[in-house]
Amino acid sequence: MRFRNITRMTAASAMLLGAISTIASAAATKPHSSTVAASTTVPIITGVWERDPSPFEEGGGGDTEDVPPPRPGPDLKEPYASRWKALRAKRQAALDAGKPLADSSTLCLPEGTPTIMQAIYPIQILQTPGQVTVLAELYMQTRRIYMDAPFPKPDDLEPTYYGFSSAHWEGDTLVVTTRGLKDSVQFFEVPHSDQMTVTERYHLTATDKLRADFTIDDPVYLKTPYRWTWRYKRNLTYRIPEYVCDHSLEKINADGTVSFEVK
Amino acid sequence: MKLSELCTILVGVGLLTVSLPAEAHHSFAMFDQTKTIEFKGVTVSQFQWSNPHVYLLAQKGNTVYTLECSSPSGMRGLGWKFNSVKPGDKVDLTFFPLRDGRPGGELRSIILGDGQTLKAW
């Protein structure tokens, strides 16, 4: 790295820290309020958040089960609905047979949007001028959400794991709209087109309680939008540790099943 | 900030418990959860504190067993540290064996040399 780049980074870091402290000090003067006074009027959602209840308490998640998709599940058009049900049944049958099928987590791939918000492990949300950033413990994922940003033209919207996210405040609700997700980034293996839009609405229901309402719209694959709600609680003491997924004992076999490798 | 305010905050932080979600990296279907195997006085040959899972290698006779644990995050919540176990330690173990009979499994609990019992999940 060149010295010039380090200088830039240092200046940027100083600006970022300054922005954070502005929000943090405002919050500190009014610790039990969901909003900050005067200069900033938006709720403070900066902090470390964990699901409440945990994703494992909402059904399934036993030792031989995967965490299930949020109810009621996707309302897919045919033939996609039948294909998706068959795929889920095949995965469960493989689990029951003791030969689980590989998935993106086998390769430690990023979860992408909106799965990162599932918060299997805690996530950290940072509000800085013009941006909301989500940092997940799992795989040390980074998701950037730009405030009031115009969407790129379709031809410039490169498909990515997290897509392009633009957000705005509607009163005390943060509304995030995301498009431009890769085909392979699928929420519980639900297929989607490049016309899919993910909308999230974040709202503090108490000082340290956050509610997020999700909607996936896709006129190509879905008959009706897929909607669900996740809730979170702020953890004031947890420090997110690093998570480098470099010691998996899993091996993907030619038939798509996963084996445990002994040393 | 006044010192008294700082003390109040620190006491409050100390009282809060940190709850961590369970591990969800992969399925455990390859382990036979209907069988529990116990080893007494086996020797640890490696303790790998890493993601997505911690694992421990234990030698019994001429065979090395690969035993998968939870993640570092999950294990911290169960009282483990990165240095809770070292190569050469004599320990007692219980684990769910691999269904296919190879020497390995899912570690359930360990009794350390000082008598301390730790769950691995």
Side-chain angles (χ1 to χ4, degrees):
Chain A
M1 182 185 290
R2 294 177 189 168
F3 179 73
R4 186 176 60 188
N5 292 346
I6 295 173
T7 307
R8 276 187 199 156
M9 284 176 61
T10 305
S13 300
M15 289 169 65
L16 179 67
L17 288 171
I20 292 171
S21 64
T22 300
I23 294 172
S25 62
T29 57
K30 208 175 178 185
H32 297 299
S33 171
S34 63
T35 58
V36 293
S39 59
T40 49
T41 56
V42 298
I44 299 296
I45 60 171
T46 285
V48 173
W49 296 91
E50 56 189 307
R51 287 281 301 288
D52 178 31
S54 113
F56 304 97
E57 295 169 14
E58 291 193 327
D63 274 357
T64 59
E65 296 176 55
D66 284 339
V67 174
R71 284 183 284 271
D75 184 16
L76 284 157
K77 296 178 180 177
E78 289 294 351
Y80 312 116
S82 299
R83 287 179 190 166
W84 184 74
K85 282 179 185 167
L87 180 62
R88 300 300 291 177
K90 181 182 174 186
R91 190 170 285 288
Q92 187 59 50
L95 279 179
D96 295 341
K99 295 182 177 177
L101 297 172
D103 60 21
S104 60
S105 77
T106 314
L107 296 169
C108 296
L109 289 173
E111 296 173 295
T113 303
T115 313
I116 183 175
M117 306 311 297
Q118 182 175 222
I120 289 292
Y121 287 151
I123 55 174
Q124 184 171 28
I125 297 176
L126 300 176
Q127 285 166 282
T128 51
Q131 184 172 323
V132 174
T133 307
V134 181
L135 305 171
E137 175 173 336
L138 188 68
Y139 312 137
M140 298 198 293
Q141 298 172 91
T142 305
R143 178 188 178 196
R144 294 177 179 84
I145 298 165
Y146 301 106
M147 297 303 300
D148 304 305
F151 268 84
K153 295 172 187 170
D155 193 43
D156 293 328
L157 189 56
E158 180 182 321
T160 56
Y161 280 91
Y162 302 99
F164 185 91
S165 294
S166 178
H168 64 277
W169 287 96
E170 290 181 4
D172 55 6
T173 299
L174 180 70
V175 181
V176 184
T177 306
T178 302
R179 291 198 285 273
L181 290 158
K182 293 166 77 81
D183 289 346
S184 61
V185 176
Q186 297 181 342
F187 184 64
F188 287 93
E189 301 184 300
V190 178
H192 66 85
S193 72
D194 60 3
Q195 294 178 51
M196 177 176 71
T197 300
V198 180
T199 306
E200 300 150 86
R201 299 177 66 87
Y202 292 89
H203 177 75
L204 286 173
T205 56
T207 305
D208 295 321
K209 300 277 189 178
L210 183 66
R211 172 185 169 134
D213 296 298
F214 294 80
T215 304
I216 298 179
D217 290 287
D218 188 339
V220 178
Y221 280 85
L222 292 174
K223 279 196 282 189
T224 57
Y226 185 8
R227 300 178 195 276
W228 74 94
T229 298
W230 280 334
R231 292 178 173 82
Y232 308 82
K233 60 183 174 184
R234 195 163 3 212
N235 191 321
L236 300 173
T237 58
Y238 187 60
R239 289 176 174 162
I240 292 183
E242 72 172 26
Y243 188 111
V244 180
C245 196
D246 59 351
H247 278 82
S248 177
L249 292 173
E250 294 185 335
K251 176 192 166 194
I252 301 177
N253 304 310
D255 64 357
T257 59
V258 179
S259 294
F260 179 83
E261 289 298 287
V262 298
K263 291 284 182 180
Chain B
M1 182 183 290
K2 292 176 185 172
L3 184 60
S4 60
E5 289 173 344
L6 179 64
C7 290
T8 304
I9 290 171
L10 290 175
V11 168
V13 167
L15 290 173
L16 287 168
T17 56
V18 177
S19 63
L20 285 172
E23 173 61 34
H25 177 71
H26 69 68
S27 160
F28 307 100
M30 61 275 277
F31 306 116
D32 186 347
Q33 297 170 46
T34 66
K35 293 179 187 166
T36 302
I37 293 181
E38 290 187 40
F39 284 169
K40 291 195 178 295
V42 293
T43 305
V44 174
S45 51
Q46 186 181 343
F47 182 57
Q48 183 64 48
W49 187 260
S50 54
N51 280 300
H53 293 274
V54 175
Y55 61 84
L56 180 150
L57 305 186
Q59 183 143 7
K60 180 179 170 58
N62 292 322
T63 306
V64 174
Y65 287 78
T66 304
L67 301 171
E68 190 170 65
C69 310
S70 183
S71 64
S73 254
M75 292 180 74
R76 286 185 203 104
L78 294 168
W80 291 74
K81 290 173 60 180
F82 67 97
N83 56 2
S84 291
V85 182
K86 296 183 178 65
D89 286 357
K90 300 283 187 188
V91 296
D92 297 345
L93 306 169
T94 60
F95 63 96
F96 294 148
L98 278 168
R99 291 189 191 221
D100 61 15
R102 289 177 299 147
E106 177 187 326
L107 185 69
R108 300 304 299 173
S109 65
I110 188 170
I111 302 176
L112 304 176
D114 63 3
Q116 184 185 9
T117 299
L118 292 170
K119 290 184 177 178
W121 287 93

